Amino acid sequence: MAHLVEVAFKGNRKEFFLWDYPDAPPLNAAVIVDVDRGEDLGFIHALGDLAQKRNGGCAHGCGTSLPDRKALRLATARDRLQSDELKRLNEEARRKAMERVRANGLGMKLSDAEWQWDRKKLTLYFTADKRVDFRNLVRDLASLFRTRIELKQIGVRDEAKRLDGVGRCGRRYCSASWLPELRPVNLGVAKDQRLSLNPSQISGACGRLMCCLRYEHEFYVQSRRRFPKEGRVVATSLGEEKVVAIDIFHERVTLRTVEGEARTLTLAEFTSEVGSGPGPEEVAVHAEEEHPAEAIASDEISPELLYTAEHPIFSSRSAELIPENPAPSDASAADAASRRRRGRRGGRRGRSGTDDSGATGPQ
């Protein structure tokens, strides 16, 4: 029975293959695999039940089906030596390709170069702010390296995943170590957690919002559903009080009376204070209906984040209230119909001949 294995290549690139031998290969063993028009060398990253699970959940997996390509054999010492030599050739190829990019005047940055193990293909990864026409560059590189050239445009987060590094937490990048999929992160995630919108505090090495901002976001969303919305006026035993702040970790609600006196209650005390009025869950629902979630205005965001956030900046409310094509009133519709009728009659008079007074007569 064939074994399903996950093989890792240069730049944290991973693919699934079938190991068509009775005994499974050891973990982290170097293997030669079958790839498009040749062979490549990689290392066993996962096998067995873990490989089956990752095959169905990772973006590079095959889902419920099995991969078509196979891992051919274990790599020999000579194969490993050839792979080590390619590390030097990869950097040399990237520098030469960058020279050709500057010669062609293209607005792109070559991030990485990867030779296939049999040197039948050279893959170049680049980032660019917009689409780049690199057809002439491909021809130049093909004549320079005498091999098959493949150019792949990637995003800045994928670039950080390929190049790897250490984040501000002191640990390896999540995208390069364990994160199976790079999901988008927007400013609403940071705002829900009451984080600073300063880009130096919530941005990663790639310049985008950190992936780890999503890890606890669901906890904040679920916890706040038990509390009233901040700014909501509720009826308590002391009269009308305004919800000033909430503490989801200690389950506290801070209220302020009309006279300006503030007090802090636990969530259980707040629920009993409200009495027969709407509970905290109902209050939160009503608050969201009467005061919908505010869009993130551009003046609340640091200028740097306007270009690093992976979500569109919403327009102002005044622009949303003005319809693009307002419906015409009954009076205006009647006037327009009358003008159209007069125009048609005038056109017929003009064809039959008219004088200055508008009377018709023989030609």
Side-chain angles (χ1 to χ4, degrees):
M1 179 179 178
H3 301 273
L4 179 65
V5 295
E6 184 182 19
V7 180
F9 301 93
K10 182 180 184 294
N12 295 300
R13 179 173 60 89
K14 301 178 182 68
E15 295 182 23
F16 289 91
F17 298 89
L18 288 178
W19 179 261
D20 201 7
Y21 295 98
D23 297 330
L27 195 63
N28 299 324
V31 292
I32 302 297
V33 298
D34 178 29
V35 294
D36 185 23
R37 301 184 187 181
E39 298 177 350
D40 204 355
L41 185 143
F43 298 88
I44 300 295
H45 181 72
L47 47 86
D49 295 337
L50 179 59
Q52 293 284 353
K53 184 177 181 180
R54 289 178 59 84
N55 185 40
C58 293
H60 60 276
C62 305
T64 56
S65 60
L66 295 177
D68 299 329
R69 294 173 180 169
K70 297 181 179 181
L72 303 177
R73 57 181 175 85
L74 291 174
T76 62
R78 185 176 180 179
D79 298 335
R80 297 284 298 269
L81 185 62
Q82 181 177 343
S83 177
D84 295 338
E85 178 65 17
L86 289 180
K87 296 179 181 178
R88 181 185 61 84
L89 297 177
N90 287 335
E91 182 59 26
E92 182 180 342
R94 191 189 70 84
R95 287 198 301 266
K96 291 182 178 180
M98 199 64 205
E99 294 176 359
R100 301 310 308 165
V101 169
R102 287 192 289 265
N104 284 270
L106 299 177
M108 55 190 293
K109 184 185 78 171
L110 286 179
S111 304
D112 197 11
E114 182 180 359
W115 274 104
Q116 194 168 280
W117 176 76
D118 55 7
R119 297 191 63 181
K120 291 184 178 180
K121 186 177 76 169
L122 174 62
T123 305
L124 297 170
Y125 299 89
F126 71 94
T127 59
D129 295 333
K130 55 185 179 181
R131 188 171 179 176
V132 180
D133 184 6
F134 48 75
R135 288 175 291 184
N136 294 333
L137 176 63
V138 172
R139 287 192 288 266
D140 292 346
L141 296 177
S143 61
L144 176 63
F145 294 105
R146 300 294 180 180
T147 189
R148 185 168 166 235
I149 302 296
E150 183 177 0
L151 281 170
K152 285 188 177 181
Q153 183 172 359
I154 59 177
V156 291
R157 300 176 75 194
D158 296 295
E159 180 186 29
K161 178 180 179 180
R162 283 196 60 85
L163 300 182
D164 207 345
V166 178
R168 61 187 305 156
C169 60
R171 306 186 66 176
R172 188 182 175 192
Y173 293 160
C174 295
S175 59
S177 58
W178 66 272
L179 199 61
E181 183 181 1
L182 298 179
R183 300 176 61 187
V185 183
N186 54 46
L187 282 176
V189 174
K191 199 170 185 180
D192 288 342
Q193 301 177 48
R194 303 294 191 268
L195 298 177
S196 171
L197 298 184
N198 189 338
S200 63
Q201 298 180 7
I202 60 176
S203 297
C206 61
R208 298 292 189 264
L209 298 180
M210 292 186 294
C211 300
C212 57
L213 295 180
R214 294 189 61 94
Y215 299 167
E216 299 178 355
H217 178 246
E218 187 64 23
F219 166 76
Y220 283 87
V221 174
Q222 296 296 336
S223 298
R224 282 204 171 88
R225 291 180 179 177
R226 303 166 52 226
F227 290 83
K229 186 176 179 64
E230 294 175 342
R232 175 71 175 177
V233 177
V234 295
T236 63
S237 59
L238 300 182
E240 291 187 350
E241 292 184 277
K242 184 177 182 180
V243 179
V244 179
I246 59 175
D247 187 349
I248 62 176
F249 298 102
H250 298 91
E251 294 191 349
R252 296 174 181 173
V253 181
T254 302
L255 304 175
R256 186 174 60 195
T257 62
V258 180
E259 292 78 10
E261 298 180 357
R263 60 173 180 152
T264 302
L265 305 176
T266 63
L267 182 60
E269 293 173 346
F270 173 80
T271 305
S272 61
E273 280 277 343
V274 173
S276 60
E281 296 183 358
E282 298 178 359
V283 170
V285 172
H286 295 327
E288 291 178 0
E289 293 176 353
E290 298 181 9
H291 304 281
E294 298 181 356
I296 302 174
S298 58
D299 56 356
E300 299 181 21
I301 307 171
S302 300
E304 296 86 347
L305 277 181
L306 292 176
Y307 304 97
T308 60
E310 298 183 0
H311 90 302
I313 304 301
F314 297 100
S315 58
S316 60
R317 290 182 178 271
S318 60
E320 296 177 357
L321 296 176
I322 301 176
E324 295 181 357
N325 298 316
S329 61
D330 296 340
S332 60
D335 293 342
S338 176
R339 284 195 298 269
R340 286 196 297 270
R341 288 195 296 271
R342 285 199 298 270
R344 286 197 295 269
R345 288 198 297 270
R348 286 195 295 270
R349 287 198 299 269
R351 286 193 295 270
S352 61
T354 60
D355 56 9
D356 295 339
S357 62
T360 60
Q363 297 291 334

